[in-house]
């Protein structure tokens, strides 16, 4: 078929077939009637770029990775972005970068403290524990579900080096207050932005994207997230030194900044002096950190490039869906505590988080929803300290975790993702109302 044909023409034919394949087998794929809390939203553009990247067969990070990284950095208003293989890897990398000897006296050392919350996704806290630093847990406020900034001063100690927490389901924590606290006390700030891509906050009268305010931000592109690359994540910063450390730790810990397939980018591959290595030791194999390989593939990045184009539309849909659920459920606010955006923010919602008022059985409500075919989720760990993984872990709690425990027992969330229709949102609300009616009798 491809005989005597230039490669570009052969590729055009194959990619044209991918379009047709999507149209025939994906565009109108039958659904099982279940209302998911999240899902991939894509069309032939994603499949086409994925196939294009597969035909390149470069496999590791390459041209699509660079496009995705620069596109995401631009969207966020961050100077640098590094694509990685998951949001958990992004958190690991963000935290580990703050332990680099290159940061001198500001580096986080084992035994140093990091302020965070227990109403969390586990891999926001895991890197702190795994490194031997000490998480200090403060409570959250309801119904914002983010750290109570009034507790920050009390949680501070001589050992505090950083604040690291997520913007809960798209709702940002009070970034202006946390930033002020961090600057005043010379602390690092890591924003786990995995569930909040596109959220905006007003800082000093200027609207900026969450994830770009602190020293480092992280994203996840696992399928339920705002955009997907299958598996995937990102770490972003505007600090050149942190960026250098992040790249080193992501790419095996090496000192060299050559891209995959590149040699001698710096032009000094064989004439540097590093540590006590012999002069001129091959720079490609000089290690400034004990690092990892957390890179993702170019095929994942290719999907991300197409998803980025759709991101502004996705964010709008998420906001509309959130508003619709608020409208439908407001009449029941005596029995359901509905979510509220943090002041001075425009959240890019990940989900619609509800807390059942005292006397309403959360498990009965979610059982009804699931029986009606509506997928529900808890706020991840609820309270991470009550999980088996926390047993024996060195940590500190400041000021009690009452609201965190309320979330553990009484909260659940449903979806607002762009794939939901108006009718599906009505069905979600109707199912919740049915559960409330039943719980009355
Ligand atoms: C707040 C938060 N942080 C980190 C992660 C981890 O992301 P990943 O599943 O890509 O490892 C998630 C996952 O959903 C998350 O919700």
């Amino acid at each position: 078929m491809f005989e005597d044909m230039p490669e570009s023409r052969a590729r055009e034919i194959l990619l044209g077939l991918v379009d047709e394949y999507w149209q025939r087998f994906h565009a109108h794929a039958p659904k099982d009637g279940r209302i998911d809390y999240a899902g991939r939203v894509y069309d032939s553009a994603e499949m086409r770029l994925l196939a294009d990247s597969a035909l390149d067969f470069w496999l590791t990070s390459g041209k699509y990775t660079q496009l995705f990284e620069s596109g995401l950095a631009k969207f966020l208003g961050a100077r640098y972005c590094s694509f990685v293989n998951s949001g958990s890897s992004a958190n690991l990398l963000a935290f580990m970068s703050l332990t680099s000897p290159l940061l001198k006296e500001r580096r986080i050392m084992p035994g140093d403290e990091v302020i965070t919350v227990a109403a969390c996704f586990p891999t926001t806290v895991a890197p702190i524990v795994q490194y031997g630093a000490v998480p200090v847990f403060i409570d959250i406020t309801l119904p914002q579900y983010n750290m109570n900034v009034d507790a920050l001063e009390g949680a501070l100690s001589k050992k505090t080096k950083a604040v690291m927490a997520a913007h809960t389901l798209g709702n940002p924590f009070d970034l202006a207050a946390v930033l002020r606290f961090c600057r005043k006390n010379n602390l690092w700030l890591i924003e786990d932005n995995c569930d909040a891509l596109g959220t905006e906050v007003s800082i000093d009268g200027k609207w900026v994207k969450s994830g770009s305010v602190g020293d480092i931000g992280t994203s996840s592109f696992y399928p339920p997230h705002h955009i997907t690359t299958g598996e995937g994540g990102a770490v972003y910063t505007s600090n050149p030194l942190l960026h250098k450390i992040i790249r080193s730790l992501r790419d095996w810990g090496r000192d060299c900044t050559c891209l995959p397939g590149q040699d001698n980018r710096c032009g000094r591959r064989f004439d540097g002096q590093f540590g006590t290595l012999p002069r001129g030791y091959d720079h490609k194999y000089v290690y400034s950190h004990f690092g990892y390989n957390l890179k993702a593939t170019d095929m994942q990045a290719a999907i991300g490039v197409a998803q980025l184009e759709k991101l502004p539309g996705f964010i709008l849909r998420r906001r509309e869906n959130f508003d619709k659920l608020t409208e439908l459920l407001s009449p029941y606010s005596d029995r359901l505590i509905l979510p509220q955006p943090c002041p001075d923010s425009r959240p890019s919602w990940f989900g619609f988080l509800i807390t059942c008022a005292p006397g309403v059985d959360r498990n009965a409500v979610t059982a009804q929803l699931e029986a009606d075919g509506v997928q529900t989720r808890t706020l991840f760990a609820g309270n991470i300290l009550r999980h088996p993984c926390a047993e024996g872990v060195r940590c500190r709690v400041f000021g009690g975790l009452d609201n965190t425990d309320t979330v553990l027992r009484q909260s659940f969330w449903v979806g607002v993702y762009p794939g939901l229709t108006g009718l599906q949102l009505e069905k979600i609300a109707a199912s919740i109302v049915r559960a409330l009616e039943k719980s009355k009798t």
Side-chain angles (χ1 to χ4, degrees):
M1 177 180 187
F2 297 137
E3 239 167 84
D4 300 328
M5 200 183 272
E7 196 267 349
S8 58
R9 178 71 195 125
R11 195 175 281 234
E12 222 173 90
I13 292 170
L14 283 171
L15 297 183
L17 288 173
V18 170
D19 285 340
E20 274 183 43
Y21 181 91
W22 176 81
Q23 192 60 43
R24 170 75 180 83
F25 297 107
H26 283 251
H28 310 289
K31 306 236 162 50
D32 60 6
R34 196 173 155 75
I35 303 176
D36 295 329
Y37 83 97
R40 304 156 302 160
V41 179
Y42 65 100
D43 57 29
S44 66
E46 280 78 1
M47 294 185 83
R48 205 183 154 90
L49 291 196
L50 175 61
D52 189 46
S53 168
L55 293 176
D56 286 344
F57 210 67
W58 181 251
L59 305 179
T60 180
S61 61
K63 72 176 192 219
Y64 279 114
T65 303
Q66 285 176 45
L67 269 178
F68 184 53
E69 287 176 340
S70 59
L72 188 61
K74 188 162 174 240
F75 172 83
L76 289 158
R79 269 176 84 181
Y80 310 104
C81 174
S82 301
F83 188 38
V84 296
N85 58 20
S86 75
S88 301
S89 297
N91 281 342
L92 173 68
L93 199 47
F95 179 81
M96 288 305 289
S97 70
L98 299 182
T99 70
S100 167
L102 299 184
L103 299 176
K104 303 194 174 107
E105 71 289 345
R106 283 202 69 195
R107 82 189 271 208
I108 298 176
M109 297 291 288
D112 283 343
E113 294 187 345
V114 179
I115 299 175
T116 188
V117 295
C120 67
F121 192 83
T123 59
T124 314
V125 174
I128 307 172
V129 172
Q130 284 157 356
Y131 176 70
V134 179
V136 177
F137 296 102
I138 58 175
D139 208 1
I140 55 172
T141 59
L142 301 181
Q144 295 80 17
Y145 305 96
N146 278 308
M147 71 174 98
N148 177 3
V149 293
D150 294 339
L152 286 171
E153 286 291 344
L156 189 72
S157 81
K158 282 202 180 83
K159 294 200 153 187
T160 313
K161 284 278 181 63
V163 174
M164 178 171 182
H167 300 300
T168 304
L169 299 195
N171 205 10
F173 52 75
D174 186 342
L175 262 166
V178 176
L179 190 65
R180 252 193 324 273
F181 171 77
C182 287
R183 287 208 179 126
K184 184 175 132 205
N185 297 292
N186 202 25
L187 308 179
W188 298 107
L189 173 57
I190 298 179
E191 293 174 70
D192 177 335
N193 201 35
C194 288
D195 297 342
L197 189 60
T199 286
E200 290 170 314
V201 290
S202 173
I203 307 262
D204 300 331
K206 203 173 145 219
W207 286 97
V208 290
K209 295 276 186 336
S210 65
S212 71
V213 176
D215 298 288
I216 307 179
T218 61
S219 274
S220 165
F221 308 121
Y222 194 65
H225 290 260
H226 293 67
I227 57 172
T228 188
T229 60
E231 301 289 350
V235 184
Y236 23 94
T237 182
S238 291
N239 178 323
L241 177 58
L242 289 179
H243 174 62
K244 181 179 158 177
I245 297 167
I246 288 164
R247 281 293 167 99
S248 170
L249 282 166
R250 184 193 68 173
D251 303 355
W252 303 281
R254 65 186 185 170
D255 197 72
C256 151
T257 59
C258 282
L259 300 170
Q262 201 178 30
D263 282 341
N264 207 10
R265 186 183 188 185
C266 62
R268 304 199 47 199
R269 182 171 165 194
F270 296 110
D271 62 10
Q273 176 68 62
F274 302 95
T276 55
L277 285 168
R279 179 160 194 85
Y281 192 80
D282 187 349
H283 192 206
K284 258 189 111 59
Y285 294 96
V286 172
Y287 300 97
S288 39
H289 296 95
F290 282 104
Y292 313 93
N293 176 1
L294 300 175
K295 294 194 301 303
T297 68
D298 223 36
M299 293 173 290
Q300 290 161 279
I303 303 168
V305 168
Q307 288 268 286
L308 262 186
E309 293 286 315
K310 297 187 171 73
L311 180 56
F314 285 168
I315 294 166
L316 286 181
R317 283 296 303 279
R318 284 177 176 275
R319 287 186 181 139
E320 283 165 11
N321 292 347
F322 182 93
D323 291 345
K324 172 104 182 161
L325 280 179
T326 304
E327 183 192 314
L328 292 168
L329 293 171
S330 290
Y332 306 91
S333 54
D334 54 333
R335 278 167 288 163
L336 301 173
I337 302 167
L338 301 183
Q340 265 175 29
C342 288
D344 298 321
S345 76
R346 295 180 192 140
S348 170
W349 296 104
F350 188 45
F352 194 88
L353 186 53
I354 298 171
T355 298
C356 297
V360 178
D361 179 351
R362 187 266 312 267
N363 290 353
V365 175
T366 50
Q368 176 72 56
L369 278 156
E370 296 283 346
D372 289 345
V374 178
Q375 212 175 21
T376 62
R377 287 290 181 269
T378 56
L379 182 56
F380 311 124
N383 177 349
I384 192 72
L385 288 176
R386 296 195 181 276
H387 288 254
C389 63
E391 244 169 68
V393 163
R394 196 169 150 212
C395 68
R396 204 155 65 74
V397 174
F398 173 77
L401 300 178
D402 291 352
N403 285 342
T404 303
D405 275 333
T406 298
V407 165
L408 176 78
R409 298 202 171 93
Q410 290 291 84
S411 304
F412 70 97
W413 59 282
V414 292
V416 293
Y417 84 103
L420 291 175
T421 63
L423 193 63
Q424 286 177 315
L425 292 165
E426 280 166 22
K427 282 188 179 167
I428 294 173
S431 174
I432 294 172
V433 172
R434 205 165 20 253
L436 289 180
E437 297 300 327
K438 274 194 189 167
S439 76
K440 251 186 190 171
T441 51

